Structures are given as structure tokens and as C-alpha cells.
Amino acid sequence: MNFVEANGANIPAIGLGTWELRDRTCARLVEQALRLGYRHIDTAQAYDNEREVGEGLRASDVRRDEVFITTKIWTTHFKPNDLERSAKESLARLRLTEVDLLLLHWPNPQVPLADTLGALARVRQQGLARHIGVSNFTVALIEEAAAACPEPLACDQVEYHPYLDQSRVREACARHGMALVAYSPIAKGRIKNDRALLRIGDRYRKTAAQVCLRWLVQQGVAAIPRTSKLERLAENIDIFDFELSEDDMRQISAMGSAGSRLTDYGSAPKWD
Ligand SMILES: NC(=O)c1ccc[n+]([C@@H]2O[C@H](COP(=O)([O-])OP(=O)(O)OC[C@H]3O[C@@H](n4cnc5c(N)ncnc54)[C@H](OP(=O)(O)O)[C@@H]3O)[C@@H](O)[C@H]2O)c1
């Protein structure tokens, strides 16, 4: 497993996304993923599966200090007192004493960002989160957050895959020593039949999804693909035994455009 180093955090380059994984399926997939060698699990308060992620972790018999667990605070808990309380509730559901990374799930313009970041930093100082970060932050918000946060931010978790150009967010993260963690890294499954990726994959005996994940990791990005299928768990982590050529990397990067976002941002601030 490769790691992405970011402001003191060592983030395993591939993690298991768990959005929409529920109940026993979630616990079983987390357990199996850890048995297969995954060392990074991504959950969130909003996914309603923190309890099952904790169960999967305990069932796997992998040591707690070998696994990197991320959870995210939902926007309705961004007032300072709420944030601390809800972080503790997440830990109780996970049955952990600390998470490795605690993120603000989404910007919330209704609460001053500096207040929320102050509370997030205090949660870290209390030892409830080893690292803190943000998610769905635009370039402007990354700049504002990096200036306002009393503790270093380890990452911005954003949608990123070959169809979406995120070079400006990547540059902003790099300016502040933050990692970019790619969500929807295989474009919610749309990558699997991509002709160009299939053609590249043929040369390495890899699937389109593996080429896509390798392209992300080779840029120093961490990726958290989700699957509900055991065989795909193995496929999505089997990307560390080949290297894409510079030409392949360029060709895949050229596929992206700024407007191809799959996430519905609703009332979130405009990306710039
Ligand atoms: N911070 C945020 O706001 C945010 C937003 C969205 C997502 N996330 C995180 O990022 C994770 C991943 O994003 P995502 O769930 O949106 O999308 P994704 O990982 O890009 O794609 C998941 C879809 O791809 C399919 N798939 C997985 N591996 C495959 C493979 N090797 N070949 C073909 N199809 C494959 C899965 O179907 P099967 O189940 O049938 O395999 C599923 O339908 C989430 O689970 C969540 O943890 C965070």
C-alpha cells in the first residue's frame, strides 16, 4: 500500500468508500476489505453506517493502529458546541477513542467558518481526531480555511476522476501541504466501459477501473472507491504492481473538463 503524506498524516492511497453500504452488508464489506489489505475506510455521519464500520473493523482482527478511519461531521452540527458533541457521538457509534481523520462534510455558509474550524481544531487537541480536514471545499474556501484554522488541515475530499478536471483544487491543496482525497474516483462506476481506459488497460492486463485508480494514485492523490461486491474489493486495490507511462497519464488527464461534476451541489457555493 502506498501512502499520501499531508501535514503529518499518512493516508493510505486507496480506501474503501462506504456511502450507501448499510447494515450487515457494510460490516461484512469492511471486514473483508481489511482482510484483503485495505487500511483506510471512509464513512460519515450522513451515511448512517458508522456503527457497522466499527463492527467490520473489530471483526477483521486487524489492529486498530494499522487502520486509517475517516468520518465526517454533517453540516447541521457546525456550531462549536454541536460539533464537539457530534464528534463524540460518532466515536461512540464507531466504538473508537479517536478517528484518524475528521472532516467537515460540506461547506455551511450559515455558520462562520472560523468558529467551526476552531471547534474542529479543539476536537483534535482533545485527542479525539488524529488529523482534521475538509470536504467539498472550493479553492476560495481552502484558502479561507487554511488561514483560519489553528491546526493544519490534512485534506480536502472532493469529487475527482478522469472526466472532471480538478487541477485548481489540487494546486490549492498542494500550496497548503494538504492531500486531495478523491471521492467518486471511478465516476460512480461510469469508468468501467470507457474505451480509452480499456485500451490502456489491455497493455497492462488491468481493467478500466484499475487504470483509473492508478492514474489518481500516481498523481499523489488518495482515492476511496466504493463497491458492494467482494470480487471488486480485490480488483480496486490491485493497482500497485504496474505504472502508467507519462503518455498514458497525459492522455487520461486530457479527458477531464471542469463542468463534468456528478455530485448535485444544491445550495453549496459555486466552484471556482
Ligand atoms: N465527501 C463527500 O461529499 C462524498 C460524496 C460522494 C462520495 N463520497 C465517498 O466516496 C466514496 C466513493 O464514491 P462513490 O460511492 O460516489 O462512487 P465510486 O466509488 O466512484 O463508484 C461506485 C460505483 O462503482 C461501482 N464499482 C466499484 N468498483 C467497480 C469496478 N472495479 N468496476 C466497475 N464498477 C465498479 C460500484 O458498483 P458495485 O457496488 O456494483 O460494485 C458503485 O456503483 C463513497 O462511498 C463515499 O465514501 C464522499
Side-chain angles (χ1 to χ4, degrees):
M1 175 63 73
N2 292 12
F3 292 84
V4 177
E5 205 284 326
N7 281 333
N10 279 314
I11 307 174
I14 292 287
L16 175 68
T18 66
W19 177 55
E20 285 190 330
L21 300 180
R22 292 275 160 77
D23 306 321
R24 281 185 57 78
T25 308
C26 177
R28 196 160 138 262
L29 279 155
V30 168
E31 176 188 351
Q32 282 302 321
L34 293 169
R35 287 185 193 276
L36 281 169
Y38 282 72
R39 289 295 178 265
H40 173 180
I41 310 288
D42 181 83
T43 180
Q45 293 174 345
Y47 302 169
D48 196 19
N49 64 10
E50 290 174 309
R51 214 177 292 282
E52 290 76 12
V53 166
E55 279 169 23
L57 171 60
R58 284 186 298 282
S60 74
D61 291 331
V62 176
R63 274 186 19 209
R64 168 67 189 101
D65 62 359
E66 286 182 11
V67 185
F68 193 95
I69 303 278
T70 301
T71 195
K72 314 183 195 85
I73 306 267
W74 188 241
T75 52
T76 45
H77 307 306
F78 278 11
K79 289 199 182 124
N81 288 343
D82 293 344
L83 190 143
E84 189 178 325
R85 180 186 40 76
S86 86
K88 287 179 178 160
E89 286 169 0
S90 279
L91 289 173
R93 283 188 292 270
L94 286 157
R95 286 178 55 194
L96 296 176
T97 54
E98 60 171 17
V99 285
D100 297 278
L101 184 56
L102 184 65
L103 305 182
L104 302 181
H105 200 144
W106 205 281
N108 178 0
Q110 266 143 32
V111 184
L113 182 56
D115 292 358
T116 306
L117 288 168
L120 190 67
R122 279 194 296 283
V123 165
R124 182 183 189 214
Q125 287 154 3
Q126 288 171 45
L128 306 179
R130 292 181 59 226
H131 304 282
I132 55 174
V134 294
S135 179
N136 295 300
F137 271 36
T138 60
V139 170
L141 281 171
I142 291 172
E143 295 299 340
E144 191 183 333
C149 193
E151 295 275 329
L153 293 165
C155 82
D156 189 12
Q157 183 184 116
V158 295
E159 180 181 336
Y160 186 33
H161 46 71
Y163 302 142
L164 180 63
D165 179 9
Q166 286 286 33
S167 39
R168 294 202 52 227
V169 172
R170 277 185 57 211
E171 284 158 20
C173 285
R175 270 198 297 283
H176 297 288
M178 295 162 64
L180 191 156
V181 176
Y183 77 67
S184 305
I186 45 180
K188 296 189 184 289
R190 287 170 175 76
I191 286 291
K192 71 170 182 283
N193 295 322
D194 186 280
R195 288 239 185 103
L197 295 184
L198 285 168
R199 215 169 27 244
I200 293 172
D202 276 349
R203 278 192 276 115
Y204 301 96
R205 295 177 186 270
K206 294 289 177 183
T207 64
Q210 288 172 321
V211 170
C212 169
L213 293 169
R214 179 72 210 182
W215 170 78
L216 288 165
V217 165
Q218 220 168 291
Q219 297 169 58
V221 163
I224 47 172
R226 163 182 57 106
T227 180
S228 55
K229 305 212 164 54
L230 290 176
E231 64 278 13
R232 284 180 173 164
L233 277 179
E235 177 184 337
N236 291 347
I237 205 169
D238 184 18
I239 62 156
F240 297 106
D241 60 350
F242 77 114
E243 191 168 345
L244 293 168
S245 70
E246 276 179 33
D247 243 24
D248 295 333
M249 290 293 288
R250 256 197 305 275
Q251 192 190 328
I252 302 169
S253 299
M255 290 164 61
S257 64
S260 324
R261 194 159 283 113
L262 302 170
T263 313
D264 175 10
Y265 279 87
S267 59
K270 292 269 172 293
W271 288 70
D272 51 0

